[in-house]
Amino acid sequence: MYRRLKQGFSNISGGASPSRGACSGTDHVPDFEPRHHIRLLTFNIQVGINTASYHHYLTRSWQHVLPHRGRIENLDRIATLIRNYDVVALQECDGGSLRSDYINQVQYLAEASGIPYWRQQLNRNLGPLAQHSNGLLSRFRPLDVTEHRLPGLLPGRGAIIARFGDIEDPLVLVIMHLSLSKAGQTRQLAYVNELIADYQHVVLMGDLNNHADELLTNTPLKHANLIPLPDTAHSFPSWRPERALDHILVSPSLEIRNSEVVSYPLSDHLPIAMDIALPKGYLETF
């Protein structure tokens, strides 16, 4: 067991890397459609654990290690929600270990919601104990998808970057789950900022573990010119939202038609939804 854990951590480092998770493939996925708007959702699903109080962190902590009967029911409820969206960013998924009954939760949610494309990014491999992952679900075929291991003192954080639409002027979606520490977030966002610097249409989605004002003022994201959700978009904890930790940040070229914190308390985080309009003239490229 010790050797497996040691090997799992030793395989995690900063920088781009080949896929270590799994993917649905794209042959069956429709091309990017010339729609005027795209419905986005980001959700930290806490590996399917329904947390509704601080004391559940103690009384339900065993569910982070062992399977339980209610997990599939919770995933089915999440699938009911996400089937209403075009692109979904998932954090704190399990890629198939003992605690999830060896079910890849990203794949399960894609199939249960009828979303044709899915990508699981395995960030921290603890063998049969846990497969800590991010996930991307999409109704559109991406131009390409890359996985990146984010730098940090504690390994195991990652980002997925998916490009859609026009190869010369793509819509770029970044899905990530940042570290808790300010120093770690600064290093990780410096890395991400370099990746998105040359693109005009960018969406950053995920659990960023900080408030937007701090992220866009006191980290390298201050150079990215991104538009945040309103200050009142509190998503954590789900039973009494007081902190805005989950975000969808967009470039000024993407008009925000609607945004909301979705009242769907199945995790310790609430999901965030946004409807964005593509730039004028962008659709004529298709």
Side-chain angles (χ1 to χ4, degrees):
M1 176 64 71
Y2 171 76
R3 286 195 298 270
R4 287 201 298 268
L5 292 175
K6 182 179 180 181
Q7 182 64 37
F9 281 107
S10 66
N11 286 338
I12 302 171
S13 61
S17 66
S19 171
R20 300 171 63 247
C23 178
S24 65
T26 59
D27 291 344
H28 63 298
V29 183
D31 289 332
F32 188 78
E33 298 177 7
R35 295 186 179 184
H36 291 283
H37 66 100
I38 300 173
R39 298 163 298 175
L40 306 172
L41 184 84
T42 183
F43 198 179
N44 179 327
I45 68 168
Q46 200 191 19
V47 296
I49 298 173
N50 189 346
T51 301
S53 174
Y54 281 114
H55 76 266
H56 286 162
Y57 285 122
L58 177 62
T59 60
R60 300 181 182 180
S61 60
W62 62 272
Q63 296 178 10
H64 285 278
V65 181
L66 298 173
H68 72 101
R69 289 178 297 178
R71 199 182 306 262
I72 288 295
E73 294 178 4
N74 292 337
L75 291 178
D76 287 339
R77 294 188 185 103
I78 293 170
T80 298
L81 169 70
I82 65 179
R83 66 168 53 111
N84 298 309
Y85 297 90
D86 299 314
V87 179
V88 178
L90 299 171
Q91 305 89 50
E92 290 198 25
C93 308
D94 192 87
S97 65
L98 174 64
R99 63 181 180 173
S100 64
D101 281 328
Y102 296 97
I103 291 171
N104 184 324
Q105 293 181 335
V106 179
Q107 179 180 5
Y108 184 93
L109 288 171
E111 294 175 354
S113 62
I115 298 178
Y117 178 83
W118 59 269
R119 179 75 167 248
Q120 173 227 345
Q121 179 191 31
L122 178 58
N123 293 315
R124 187 175 294 144
N125 183 358
L126 300 183
L129 294 181
Q131 300 282 304
H132 298 279
S133 303
N134 292 333
L136 163 67
L137 310 182
S138 175
R139 297 192 183 279
F140 313 119
R141 181 185 302 168
L143 295 169
D144 52 53
V145 179
T146 56
E147 298 181 16
H148 300 263
R149 301 177 187 176
L150 296 178
L153 276 179
L154 293 176
R157 301 286 183 172
I160 302 173
I161 298 184
R163 303 193 307 162
F164 295 87
D166 180 10
I167 194 169
E168 299 297 329
D169 187 26
L171 173 65
V172 179
L173 272 68
V174 184
I175 295 169
M176 54 188 172
H177 187 184
L178 296 186
S179 297
L180 293 170
S181 73
K182 181 177 180 179
Q185 291 175 9
T186 298
R187 291 182 62 190
Q188 291 161 3
L189 292 176
Y191 177 79
V192 170
N193 189 61
E194 288 187 8
L195 296 176
I196 65 174
D198 295 332
Y199 295 110
Q200 184 178 1
H201 316 300
V202 176
V203 178
L204 263 58
M205 309 170 65
D207 178 358
L208 306 189
N209 272 314
N210 210 334
H211 290 265
D213 182 65
E214 177 69 19
L215 294 168
L216 297 176
T217 304
N218 297 318
T219 79
L221 278 190
K222 64 185 178 182
H223 305 296
N225 194 28
L226 297 173
I227 299 172
L229 294 161
D231 293 340
T232 55
H234 296 166
S235 60
F236 181 87
S238 59
W239 58 91
R240 193 175 62 199
E242 298 173 337
R243 303 185 66 192
L245 303 184
D246 302 271
H247 299 280
I248 303 178
L249 310 173
V250 302
S251 298
S253 64
L254 302 170
E255 177 190 351
I256 300 174
R257 297 179 49 171
N258 183 54
S259 64
E260 63 175 328
V261 180
V262 184
S263 181
Y264 211 75
L266 280 175
S267 164
D268 59 345
H269 290 247
L270 292 175
I272 299 287
M274 182 179 287
D275 191 327
I276 60 170
L278 294 174
K280 293 181 179 179
Y282 190 78
L283 301 177
E284 279 76 1
T285 62
F286 302 100

